[in-house]
mmCIF file of all heavy atoms in Angstrom:
data_model
loop_
_atom_site.group_PDB
_atom_site.id
_atom_site.type_symbol
_atom_site.label_atom_id
_atom_site.label_comp_id
_atom_site.label_asym_id
_atom_site.label_seq_id
_atom_site.Cartn_x
_atom_site.Cartn_y
_atom_site.Cartn_z
ATOM 1 N N TYR A 14 10.704 6.748 -12.140
ATOM 2 C CA TYR A 14 9.417 6.478 -11.485
ATOM 3 C C TYR A 14 8.374 6.050 -12.516
ATOM 4 O O TYR A 14 7.589 5.153 -12.281
ATOM 5 C CB TYR A 14 8.885 7.728 -10.771
ATOM 6 C CG TYR A 14 9.554 8.088 -9.474
ATOM 7 C CD1 TYR A 14 10.778 7.554 -9.106
ATOM 8 C CD2 TYR A 14 8.944 8.976 -8.588
ATOM 9 C CE1 TYR A 14 11.387 7.902 -7.912
ATOM 10 C CE2 TYR A 14 9.531 9.323 -7.392
ATOM 11 C CZ TYR A 14 10.765 8.797 -7.059
ATOM 12 O OH TYR A 14 11.344 9.149 -5.875
ATOM 13 N N ASN A 15 8.336 6.752 -13.641
ATOM 14 C CA ASN A 15 7.180 6.612 -14.534
ATOM 15 C C ASN A 15 7.524 6.182 -15.948
ATOM 16 O O ASN A 15 6.678 6.276 -16.836
ATOM 17 C CB ASN A 15 6.403 7.944 -14.562
ATOM 18 C CG ASN A 15 5.641 8.155 -13.270
ATOM 19 O OD1 ASN A 15 5.160 7.201 -12.669
ATOM 20 N ND2 ASN A 15 5.541 9.393 -12.839
ATOM 21 N N GLU A 69 24.137 -6.351 -1.927
ATOM 22 C CA GLU A 69 24.601 -7.563 -1.242
ATOM 23 C C GLU A 69 23.451 -8.408 -0.693
ATOM 24 O O GLU A 69 23.480 -9.638 -0.793
ATOM 25 C CB GLU A 69 25.545 -7.208 -0.085
ATOM 26 C CG GLU A 69 26.890 -6.624 -0.526
ATOM 27 C CD GLU A 69 26.837 -5.123 -0.787
ATOM 28 O OE1 GLU A 69 25.732 -4.540 -0.724
ATOM 29 O OE2 GLU A 69 27.887 -4.528 -1.046
ATOM 30 N N GLN A 111 12.351 0.074 -4.247
ATOM 31 C CA GLN A 111 13.648 0.636 -3.875
ATOM 32 C C GLN A 111 14.678 -0.008 -4.791
ATOM 33 O O GLN A 111 14.690 -1.233 -4.930
ATOM 34 C CB GLN A 111 14.024 0.221 -2.455
ATOM 35 C CG GLN A 111 13.357 0.953 -1.347
ATOM 36 C CD GLN A 111 13.870 0.467 0.011
ATOM 37 O OE1 GLN A 111 14.831 -0.286 0.109
ATOM 38 N NE2 GLN A 111 13.202 0.908 1.055
ATOM 39 N N ILE A 121 17.319 7.324 -0.477
ATOM 40 C CA ILE A 121 16.824 6.046 -0.997
ATOM 41 C C ILE A 121 16.467 6.276 -2.462
ATOM 42 O O ILE A 121 15.705 7.191 -2.778
ATOM 43 C CB ILE A 121 15.580 5.571 -0.223
ATOM 44 C CG1 ILE A 121 15.873 5.461 1.268
ATOM 45 C CG2 ILE A 121 15.088 4.226 -0.775
ATOM 46 C CD1 ILE A 121 14.632 5.325 2.142
ATOM 47 N N TYR A 123 14.472 5.253 -5.545
ATOM 48 C CA TYR A 123 13.330 4.448 -5.991
ATOM 49 C C TYR A 123 13.317 4.411 -7.509
ATOM 50 O O TYR A 123 13.871 5.282 -8.170
ATOM 51 C CB TYR A 123 12.014 5.059 -5.498
ATOM 52 C CG TYR A 123 11.853 5.025 -3.999
ATOM 53 C CD1 TYR A 123 12.142 6.139 -3.217
ATOM 54 C CD2 TYR A 123 11.407 3.871 -3.369
ATOM 55 C CE1 TYR A 123 11.990 6.106 -1.844
ATOM 56 C CE2 TYR A 123 11.248 3.825 -1.987
ATOM 57 C CZ TYR A 123 11.538 4.950 -1.242
ATOM 58 O OH TYR A 123 11.380 4.925 0.129
ATOM 59 N N ASP B 50 9.075 -0.804 0.855
ATOM 60 C CA ASP B 50 8.877 -0.046 2.084
ATOM 61 C C ASP B 50 7.536 0.673 1.972
ATOM 62 O O ASP B 50 6.774 0.424 1.032
ATOM 63 C CB ASP B 50 10.044 0.927 2.337
ATOM 64 C CG ASP B 50 10.201 1.980 1.236
ATOM 65 O OD1 ASP B 50 9.232 2.204 0.479
ATOM 66 O OD2 ASP B 50 11.289 2.568 1.129
ATOM 67 N N GLU B 57 2.148 1.698 -5.176
ATOM 68 C CA GLU B 57 1.392 0.651 -5.878
ATOM 69 C C GLU B 57 -0.112 0.794 -5.612
ATOM 70 O O GLU B 57 -0.931 0.664 -6.527
ATOM 71 C CB GLU B 57 1.878 -0.740 -5.457
ATOM 72 C CG GLU B 57 3.293 -1.071 -5.942
ATOM 73 C CD GLU B 57 3.380 -1.339 -7.444
ATOM 74 O OE1 GLU B 57 2.365 -1.720 -8.046
ATOM 75 O OE2 GLU B 57 4.468 -1.151 -8.015
ATOM 76 N N ARG B 60 -1.400 3.999 -7.461
ATOM 77 C CA ARG B 60 -1.542 3.813 -8.910
ATOM 78 C C ARG B 60 -2.791 3.003 -9.227
ATOM 79 O O ARG B 60 -3.503 3.288 -10.188
ATOM 80 C CB ARG B 60 -0.299 3.104 -9.462
ATOM 81 C CG ARG B 60 0.894 4.036 -9.602
ATOM 82 C CD ARG B 60 2.098 3.302 -10.153
ATOM 83 N NE ARG B 60 3.170 4.229 -10.461
ATOM 84 C CZ ARG B 60 4.413 3.863 -10.768
ATOM 85 N NH1 ARG B 60 4.736 2.570 -10.791
ATOM 86 N NH2 ARG B 60 5.324 4.766 -11.048
ATOM 87 N N TYR B 85 11.542 7.943 5.480
ATOM 88 C CA TYR B 85 12.379 9.045 5.962
ATOM 89 C C TYR B 85 11.752 9.650 7.212
ATOM 90 O O TYR B 85 10.534 9.781 7.296
ATOM 91 C CB TYR B 85 12.459 10.161 4.919
ATOM 92 C CG TYR B 85 13.242 9.835 3.673
ATOM 93 C CD1 TYR B 85 12.603 9.396 2.519
ATOM 94 C CD2 TYR B 85 14.625 10.022 3.612
ATOM 95 C CE1 TYR B 85 13.312 9.126 1.353
ATOM 96 C CE2 TYR B 85 15.340 9.759 2.459
ATOM 97 C CZ TYR B 85 14.687 9.318 1.328
ATOM 98 O OH TYR B 85 15.391 9.067 0.190
ATOM 99 N N ALA B 97 4.999 9.677 -8.521
ATOM 100 C CA ALA B 97 4.846 8.360 -9.154
ATOM 101 C C ALA B 97 3.461 8.144 -9.767
ATOM 102 O O ALA B 97 3.311 7.298 -10.638
ATOM 103 C CB ALA B 97 5.158 7.255 -8.152
ATOM 104 N N ARG B 348 24.439 -7.539 8.197
ATOM 105 C CA ARG B 348 25.865 -7.895 8.127
ATOM 106 C C ARG B 348 26.721 -6.650 7.959
ATOM 107 O O ARG B 348 26.236 -5.616 7.561
ATOM 108 C CB ARG B 348 26.114 -8.883 7.000
ATOM 109 C CG ARG B 348 25.813 -8.368 5.597
ATOM 110 C CD ARG B 348 26.287 -9.383 4.586
ATOM 111 N NE ARG B 348 25.417 -9.398 3.422
ATOM 112 C CZ ARG B 348 25.463 -10.349 2.502
ATOM 113 N NH1 ARG B 348 26.268 -11.363 2.650
ATOM 114 N NH2 ARG B 348 24.683 -10.299 1.447
#
Side-chain angles (χ1 to χ4, degrees):
Chain A
Y14 284 16
N15 287 326
E69 292 84 355
Q111 282 182 9
I121 304 166
Y123 294 98
Chain B
D50 62 19
E57 291 288 336
R60 283 180 172 169
Y85 290 97
R348 63 172 146 192

